[in-house]
Amino acid sequence: MSQVTFIAFDGSKMLIYAAAGLSLMENAVANGIDGIEAQCGGNAYCGTCRVIPVGEWAVRLGTRGDVEEGLLSSLDEGNALVRLSCQITVSEALDGLVVRLPESQS
Ligand code: FES
């Protein structure tokens, strides 16, 4: 299990213990994180699972995959750090991950 902190737009923090092998989105939904809608169920076409990695995590998560990049580009997302949590697979290497949630997922 990896400890992951979600920071809501209002600054409130929510800590979960995320299971390896599942996506960050799946872990967030399983733990009742508000603000992760995941309308497409993790198929990388809704864009409602967006998170913004904090600090060093912007680098440690690696670069966006092609599918992820394609969707985020089409959404005209102005923040280059934004990621799709459904495309991030949790592993022990992500222990301590901190991400912010956008103001809305629309
Ligand atoms: Fe739809 Fe991530 S759940 S893009």
Side-chain angles (χ1 to χ4, degrees):
M1 300 289 253
S2 297
Q3 183 175 301
V4 179
T5 301
F6 291 84
I7 304 174
F9 191 74
D10 68 3
S12 60
K13 296 180 179 178
M14 298 152 286
L15 174 69
I16 69 168
Y17 290 93
L22 299 179
S23 72
L24 183 58
M25 176 278 284
E26 291 170 313
N27 275 288
V29 170
N31 284 277
I33 298 294
D34 286 335
I36 298 291
E37 299 174 11
Q39 294 172 359
C40 76
N43 291 305
Y45 64 76
C46 73
T48 63
C49 66
R50 302 192 309 281
V51 296
I52 302 110
V54 172
E56 65 182 324
W57 290 105
V59 174
R60 291 181 65 180
L61 285 180
T63 57
R64 296 171 174 169
D66 290 344
V67 172
E68 185 180 14
E69 179 65 35
L71 176 62
L72 289 171
S73 296
S74 72
L75 293 175
D76 195 25
E77 181 62 64
N79 187 338
L81 299 179
V82 172
R83 302 296 302 267
L84 296 177
S85 61
C86 69
Q87 300 303 300
I88 297 170
T89 302
V90 172
S91 70
E92 296 299 322
L94 298 191
D95 188 37
L97 174 64
V98 182
V99 295
R100 290 189 295 111
L101 295 165
E103 183 172 13
S104 80
Q105 294 285 358
S106 58

